[in-house]
Amino acid sequence: MGYSCKSCKKCMLKDNFNITKDKDGLVIALAGNPNTGKSTIFNALTGLNQHTGNWPGKTVLQAQGTCIIKGKKCTLVDLPGTYSLLANSIDEVVARDFLCFAKPDATIVVTDATCLERNLNLALQVLEITDKVVVCVNLMDEAERKGIKVNTDLLAAELGVPVIPTSARSKQGLDELISMVYELATGNITSNPNPIPYDQDLEEAIQELQPQIEALLKGRLNSRWVALRLIEGDEELLEGIKNYLSQEELEEDRVEEKCAQ
Amino acid sequence: MCSVNTDLSGRLETLVQEAKGKYSKEVREKIVDNIYREAENIAKRTVVKPPKKLDWDGKIDNILTSRITGYPIMLLLLGVIFWITIVGANYPSQMLFKILFWGEEKISTLFYFLGMPQWLHGFLVLGVYRCVAWVVAVMLPPMAIFFPLFTLLEDLGFLPRVAFNLDNFFRKAGAHGKQSLTMSMGFGCNAAGVIACRIIESPRERLIAILTNNFVPCNGRFPTLIVISSIFMGGALAAPYSSLVTPLVIVGIVLIGIMVTLIVSWLLSKTLLRGVPSTFTLELPPYRRPQIGQIIIRSIFDRTVFVLWRAVKVAAPAGGIIWLLANTYLGDSSLLNSLATAIDPFARGIGLDGIILTAFILGLPANEIVLPIMIMGYLAEGALLELDSLIALKTLLLDNGWTLMTALSVMLFSLLHYPCSTTLLTIKKETGSLKWTFLGAIIPLAVSVLVLFILNSISSLLLLMN
């Protein structure tokens, strides 16, 4: 039937995102604002030595490395640091498309404990796309020095996903982070992010669109998030969704055919 | 089967069309506002901040980014870094010269002992080995000192302050303020600087940033600038001040580079890439205590060794080629000589000479090898010299007719000429267009030729008047 290799998820990852995934390996994404220590965490987890710097926008290229967690090979993807996922620039599109279409098994959102409020904007946006998120509150040592206290337990309750405090430069909290990511990626723990409450009129519009979208997408993408993109008219993304759907369809057809034989 | 797929897309399309125009234009801002409100609310409940604290970051920022003190501090820091590099590189450089040229003697002895043919000795030892030795001896010490210092500034969080200070100039030039950041990245490596231009949203301003990134000297060009300036400019003042001249000259060269960046950006935004600059907020990251150990390890292994290895890889074949060119005769003159003679009149017109220009042409793959190729070229011309120090290098250059003006011209040409091939490939990749890649090479080349031509016309005019 001449299936292109684009038709399976493994090759989809390879073709679209240049990621090679092992059969039962995990793909873990690292997202976060610029200059929160994503690269430091990335290096600590992968043993790689990508250069880190006190410099917003340090990682513009998507960096990749592997690490073994509890015997499973994990591909760690260091996404470009962004302040939002609203697709204002190429790096934001790169980060958003990865979370949306590559469907990492878990995503670590690295935040800066010293200015959590600004960092939460991105965390909240990531949580709208995927629920498999561990929020890492990094730079706890620096926050402590400045007398800032973050109640990570309460934060976890507010967000509805696990929150791990770390100080990556001194390697504190990384073990906890890794095991939490593992539990979430393998499905031993499930999370249930609290949706962002929007203004009444927006909520009504979402209520109207969401069921129709859900009927179409059948859980493949977060329907509330897609509804919001429809409302704001992000046509570029909707084009991307269509491409994504056609690739998924091909894959399902093939599976169905195999079953029929 | 395909029907399912088109059906799905079709139904989604219907939804998209239905949603279109149904909601007001402000809906996007409202969504963003709502997200920010929620983030604020959550932060309020989960974060306890100390009541009133001494805001050191703010205080330091007030000084570093003030209109009065910001620029002098910036220049002073840059000057101090160059000064440390130049003074510090002197001794290890001499050591390396001694070791490497002692090695050359021993290898030569071995070659004769084994009865190797003359041409093989020439190609491998006088060509390949010598060129590599020059690259290592000239480039390694300044790099090993400059990189850690530069990384230190980066880790401290100083570079974004530089960007903040320069932001205003870039906006006046019709470019994006973030170009000051990508320009600063260019000091490390122009290819990296070009990639960094991705942080600029508007395609117009991104192209301006990409096309002008080359005007700040990268790691590969700093050592060349440092060596030439310490040979020729260092002696301009009496002993206690002479060590200050070289850093000042380099700071001057960097300033010229920034000025040219701004002028060319302005010209581009008035001609090829017309438009108004977009606004943005530049975030000043907190000052962080740098991790000294990490800095030394990273800057030595990631940068110094990486850059040196890249240079050596290019220098080895280039050294061989130069030797072959210098020793293959067509008629009475060697190929190198013919080539150099052919471009010599043009090169002289802009204050260089045939060998210098040949070195810049052959140095396209890596700017690090330009100076070593020049030396090889002069040596191959027959000047038999015991080249084991920077003083000997000065003699060699003087013997070949270099003046203070030549030195200045070479430095300016190195600063302004086309980017290395790696950077050009990166421009091709980032813009996806041959046209912009071509312009990325031709604009700097035109600028450098123009600047040198004007400079040398003025200088010969002054000479005539005297």
Side-chain angles (χ1 to χ4, degrees), chain A residues 55-92:
Chain A
W55 176 264
K58 170 79 211 15
T59 312
V60 265
L61 282 172
Q62 186 179 300
Q64 271 186 55
T66 51
C67 62
I68 309 260
I69 306 178
K70 298 186 183 168
K72 259 195 203 286
K73 194 177 163 203
C74 299
T75 307
L76 218 64
V77 181
D78 191 8
L79 296 174
T82 58
Y83 295 105
S84 86
L85 293 177
L86 297 162
N88 294 317
S89 61
I90 304 177
D91 42 349
E92 291 190 13

Side-chain angles (χ1 to χ4, degrees), chain A residues 88-156:
Chain A
N88 294 317
S89 61
I90 304 177
D91 42 349
E92 291 190 13
V93 173
V94 168
R96 184 202 62 190
D97 282 0
F98 190 86
L99 294 173
C100 176
F101 301 129
K103 302 226 149 189
D105 297 289
T107 301
I108 303 171
V109 178
V110 184
T111 59
D112 179 349
T114 62
C115 47
L116 196 62
E117 181 183 326
R118 192 175 51 202
N119 284 249
L120 282 177
N121 286 318
L122 179 76
L124 286 167
Q125 289 175 46
V126 172
L127 285 172
E128 284 195 308
I129 299 178
T130 165
D131 53 359
K132 289 192 163 184
V133 173
V134 177
V135 172
C136 157
V137 182
N138 193 27
L139 299 165
M140 286 299 273
D141 45 356
E142 201 174 302
E144 201 174 311
R145 238 194 0 261
K146 290 187 174 170
I148 298 169
K149 289 192 182 70
V150 180
N151 185 341
T152 47
D153 293 333
L154 184 61
L155 185 62

Side-chain angles (χ1 to χ4, degrees), chain B residues 4 8 12 101 109 172 184 195 228 232 334 349 394 447 450 465:
Chain B
V4 184
L8 236 173
L12 188 69
F101 288 94
T109 316
K172 282 207 177 112
S184 306
I195 294 175
I228 293 182
F232 279 91
S334 70
K394 183 175 184 178
V447 169
L450 188 72
M465 287 192 326

Side-chain angles (χ1 to χ4, degrees), chain B residues 56-224:
Chain B
W56 275 108
D57 275 21
K59 286 219 166 100
I60 298 173
D61 274 343
N62 281 343
I63 299 169
L64 285 186
T65 60
S66 122
R67 272 173 191 266
I68 305 156
T69 48
Y71 300 114
I73 292 178
M74 222 163 70
L75 292 177
L76 194 71
L77 262 175
L78 207 61
V80 167
I81 286 197
F82 290 133
W83 182 77
I84 297 175
T85 306
I86 292 157
V87 172
N90 212 352
Y91 184 70
S93 199
Q94 278 176 6
M95 288 274 293
L96 279 173
F97 274 120
K98 289 231 165 65
I99 295 167
L100 288 167
F101 288 94
W102 173 84
E104 186 188 303
E105 255 173 58
K106 295 289 152 203
I107 295 173
S108 292
T109 316
L110 183 71
F111 266 69
Y112 290 124
F113 177 74
L114 292 174
M116 295 284 189
Q118 192 74 37
W119 63 267
L120 191 67
H121 171 260
F123 181 77
L124 286 180
V125 179
L126 300 181
V128 176
Y129 179 89
R130 208 173 245 192
C131 198
V132 170
W134 269 106
V135 167
V136 173
V138 174
M139 302 289 153
L140 181 60
M143 278 198 301
I145 299 173
F146 179 74
F147 286 179
L149 290 175
F150 195 76
T151 317
L152 184 74
L153 279 194
E154 204 181 322
D155 262 29
L156 275 169
F158 183 68
L159 291 192
R161 271 84 192 174
V162 172
F164 184 88
N165 286 339
L166 295 175
D167 168 43
N168 202 17
F169 291 114
F170 279 96
R171 233 161 322 156
K172 282 207 177 112
H176 198 289
K178 276 191 201 166
Q179 191 178 331
S180 47
L181 275 176
T182 62
M183 184 189 77
S184 306
M185 282 289 262
F187 283 114
C189 165
N190 291 135
V194 168
I195 294 175
C197 293
R198 290 182 180 189
I199 59 174
I200 298 173
E201 295 90 10
S202 130
R204 180 189 80 88
E205 288 149 353
R206 206 172 140 228
L207 269 174
I208 294 180
I210 289 176
L211 293 180
T212 55
N213 193 270
N214 161 68
F215 292 129
V216 288
C218 62
N219 286 324
R221 287 181 278 166
F222 268 123
T224 308

Side-chain angles (χ1 to χ4, degrees), chain A residues 3-254:
Chain A
Y3 295 112
S4 85
C5 196
K6 280 207 168 115
S7 56
C8 62
K9 167 130 192 199
K10 190 173 161 184
C11 297
M12 203 277 277
L13 277 175
K14 176 105 190 78
D15 290 348
N16 296 2
F17 299 102
N18 195 23
I19 285 180
T20 26
K21 187 185 169 170
D22 266 24
K23 206 190 268 166
D24 61 356
L26 299 170
V27 175
I28 294 160
L30 266 169
N33 283 24
N35 214 34
T36 51
K38 278 191 311 303
S39 297
T40 309
I41 290 187
F42 178 83
N43 286 346
L45 294 186
T46 56
L48 281 178
N49 290 311
Q50 206 198 8
H51 176 70
T52 57
N54 187 2
W55 176 264
K58 170 79 211 15
T59 312
V60 265
L61 282 172
Q62 186 179 300
Q64 271 186 55
T66 51
C67 62
I68 309 260
I69 306 178
K70 298 186 183 168
K72 259 195 203 286
K73 194 177 163 203
C74 299
T75 307
L76 218 64
V77 181
D78 191 8
L79 296 174
T82 58
Y83 295 105
S84 86
L85 293 177
L86 297 162
N88 294 317
S89 61
I90 304 177
D91 42 349
E92 291 190 13
V93 173
V94 168
R96 184 202 62 190
D97 282 0
F98 190 86
L99 294 173
C100 176
F101 301 129
K103 302 226 149 189
D105 297 289
T107 301
I108 303 171
V109 178
V110 184
T111 59
D112 179 349
T114 62
C115 47
L116 196 62
E117 181 183 326
R118 192 175 51 202
N119 284 249
L120 282 177
N121 286 318
L122 179 76
L124 286 167
Q125 289 175 46
V126 172
L127 285 172
E128 284 195 308
I129 299 178
T130 165
D131 53 359
K132 289 192 163 184
V133 173
V134 177
V135 172
C136 157
V137 182
N138 193 27
L139 299 165
M140 286 299 273
D141 45 356
E142 201 174 302
E144 201 174 311
R145 238 194 0 261
K146 290 187 174 170
I148 298 169
K149 289 192 182 70
V150 180
N151 185 341
T152 47
D153 293 333
L154 184 61
L155 185 62
E158 291 274 355
L159 294 172
V161 294
V163 174
I164 308 285
T166 62
S167 303
R169 297 210 301 186
S170 50
K171 302 214 157 36
Q172 274 169 42
L174 291 180
D175 291 339
E176 291 85 344
L177 180 68
I178 291 173
S179 59
M180 185 55 82
V181 167
Y182 179 83
E183 298 296 325
L184 199 74
T186 49
N188 293 344
I189 290 180
T190 50
S191 58
N192 191 15
N194 302 323
I196 303 172
Y198 287 98
D199 288 350
Q200 179 103 34
D201 50 340
L202 279 172
E203 285 293 345
E204 277 164 15
I206 296 170
Q207 294 307 321
E208 196 191 320
L209 280 169
Q210 203 179 348
Q212 303 175 55
I213 293 167
E214 187 54 45
L216 277 179
L217 298 177
K218 300 193 182 77
R220 274 177 290 216
L221 295 170
N222 185 314
S223 55
R224 184 179 164 89
W225 182 71
V226 176
L228 278 160
R229 302 291 81 77
L230 267 176
I231 292 168
E232 66 166 5
D234 186 342
E235 297 201 17
E236 221 173 297
L237 174 78
L238 296 165
E239 232 12 79
I241 293 180
K242 276 188 228 159
N243 282 338
Y244 168 73
L245 283 179
S246 54
Q247 287 181 11
E248 286 264 302
E249 284 296 328
L250 274 168
E251 181 188 351
E252 270 161 35
D253 288 348
R254 193 170 68 156

